[in-house]
Amino acid sequence: MVRWRSGTVTAVRRRWAGAVELDVDLPDGGALRALAYPALVGDPVPGDRVLLNAGALLMGLGTGGYALVVALPDRLPPDPPQAGDTRDAGHLVKARYTPLQAIMLGVDEEASEHHELLARAESLDGLPVVTADLHSALPAILAGVRADSPDARVAYLLTDGGALPAWFSRTLDGLRGELVGTVSVGQAFGGDLEATTLHSGLLAARHVLRADVAIVAQGPGNLGTGTTWGFSGVAVGEAVNAVATLGGRSVGSLRISDADPRPRHRGVSHHSLTAYGRVALAPAELVVPDGLDAALAAEVDAALAPLAGRHTLVRVPTDGLDAALRALPVGLSTMGRGLDADHAYFLAAAAAGRHAARLIG
């Protein structure tokens, strides 16, 4: 449940698109680092009293070390300029029936300028769609696309397995100039476009953003329980099914590592094996990077052998991908490990991006 705190803003630390980081003093003399989303709660300044949800921070969970600002109770933001009693500005509710539910204009709803286009759209027309179960794969996949197709139009679909606000991701902020747009789907929000489902989001990426390649991954802060089915990345398999239903071409980015200390994530993570091997009912092209250490390569091949009956295993050369990864405008990190500490993970994601680029029609 919620662990409430009230405090006073003492400093604004930094800003990025959609978010502001704060220092907050508590009445008992303690202090917290907090994060506010101005579009939801207003723009805090030093001296403002803030109400905070501090539960995940106190438990050390994946909120980036932040308490989250729920309200500026003494200085509420003004209402949006649109009338609040019509659907003219949209009626797509995200984070539904929570105290901070936000009403957005969905790209696919009646008030949208794109409604007629998406009402007619039925197919992705062979669009290559890279699926990954961690947000940290996003920049690496993009690096792989750019290595072979520097002018490709790449769209990102933010699913709701991790952070719901797109604004939380500093990585996404740093990649803003590299993407033609972000589509937040399901309960996720804050993208350049809002979509009701992954299916309508994919169609928007293809027909509204005119993407050459799409990347589907959850936001930062995935949930895992150490059980076969209890991890938010299971949605990767459902994404493969959605792509197939809409006539796209699924490219599976595998979670490969020889650095993760947990046995279930070494070689090919059980997350990838479950999502692609048991949840995905449609075929995908699973990308295996060349150039892995011999022992790791053998482990990967053995783990993927049972999946070969349903999916196509594609070996992709990795020459030039290390340089592409190092040239990214954002840092790389997965589970606290950077590029050199978990090179195989990022190389596998970049290889998936390279393969997608080679499928552009």
Side-chain angles (χ1 to χ4, degrees):
M1 301 302 288
V2 175
R3 287 176 168 81
W4 290 95
R5 297 292 185 272
S6 177
T8 302
V9 177
T10 58
V12 174
R13 295 171 60 96
R14 56 179 169 170
R15 296 175 180 270
W16 58 93
V20 56
E21 184 183 276
L22 311 167
D23 286 333
V24 176
D25 281 353
L26 304 178
D28 63 5
L32 293 175
R33 189 168 57 148
L35 193 72
Y37 302 119
L40 295 183
V41 302
D43 200 348
V45 297
D48 278 338
R49 184 165 67 96
V50 289
L51 297 182
L52 304 171
N53 181 337
L57 171 63
L58 296 174
M59 293 183 68
L61 300 180
T63 60
Y66 296 118
L68 298 172
V69 175
V70 179
L72 281 63
D74 304 321
R75 195 169 63 84
L76 297 176
D79 285 346
Q82 302 88 0
D85 57 353
T86 74
R87 298 186 176 192
D88 293 345
H91 73 295
L92 179 55
V93 182
K94 300 288 187 99
R96 288 190 281 275
Y97 303 104
T98 68
L100 285 177
Q101 66 179 14
I103 301 175
M104 309 284 192
L105 175 61
V107 67
D108 45 348
E109 65 173 306
E110 294 86 346
S112 168
E113 63 180 306
H114 307 296
H115 174 73
E116 185 176 347
L117 172 64
L118 291 178
R120 297 193 310 267
E122 293 286 343
S123 175
L124 296 177
D125 303 323
L127 177 72
V129 180
V130 185
T131 55
D133 75 301
L134 291 179
H135 187 70
S136 56
L138 169 63
I141 294 167
L142 183 60
V145 174
R146 291 276 179 259
D148 282 19
S149 188
D151 297 323
R153 297 175 59 85
V154 183
Y156 168 50
L157 288 99
L158 172 74
T159 61
D160 54 16
L164 297 186
W167 309 312
F168 183 77
S169 175
R170 292 194 298 274
T171 294
L172 191 54
D173 178 55
L175 295 175
R176 188 165 299 274
E178 301 292 326
L179 298 166
V180 294
T182 294
V183 187
S184 37
V185 306
Q187 292 295 298
F189 57 90
D192 301 293
L193 300 175
E194 306 287 347
T196 306
T197 65
L198 178 58
H199 296 74
S200 59
L202 285 165
L203 290 168
R206 181 71 176 104
H207 297 287
V208 176
L209 297 177
R210 303 189 309 280
D212 300 312
V213 174
I215 301 170
V216 177
Q218 63 185 328
N222 69 299
L223 174 63
T225 63
T227 63
T228 299
W229 299 105
F231 66 99
S232 51
V234 73
V236 169
E238 301 291 5
V240 171
N241 297 336
V243 173
T245 297
L246 295 173
R249 193 161 177 179
S250 292
V251 176
S253 176
L254 296 168
R255 185 173 170 182
I256 293 173
S257 177
D258 58 1
D260 199 303
R262 298 164 294 180
R264 65 184 183 276
H265 292 304
R266 294 180 69 86
V268 182
S269 167
H270 82 100
H271 285 185
S272 289
L273 296 175
T274 300
Y276 293 115
R278 303 180 69 179
V279 180
L281 303 179
E285 297 173 46
L286 304 184
V287 175
V288 183
D290 283 339
L292 297 177
D293 173 80
L296 176 60
E299 191 173 355
V300 167
D301 288 346
L304 292 177
L307 277 62
R310 179 179 305 167
H311 303 293
T312 301
L313 305 183
V314 182
R315 297 197 174 274
V316 173
T318 57
D319 52 294
L321 291 184
D322 179 78
L325 290 165
R326 296 185 190 279
L328 281 165
V330 298
L332 293 169
S333 179
T334 185
M335 304 296 169
R337 299 184 297 273
L339 174 58
D340 291 321
D342 205 345
H343 197 263
Y345 169 80
F346 296 107
L347 194 67
R354 165 169 277 175
H355 182 60
R358 294 178 175 181
L359 299 178
I360 295 173

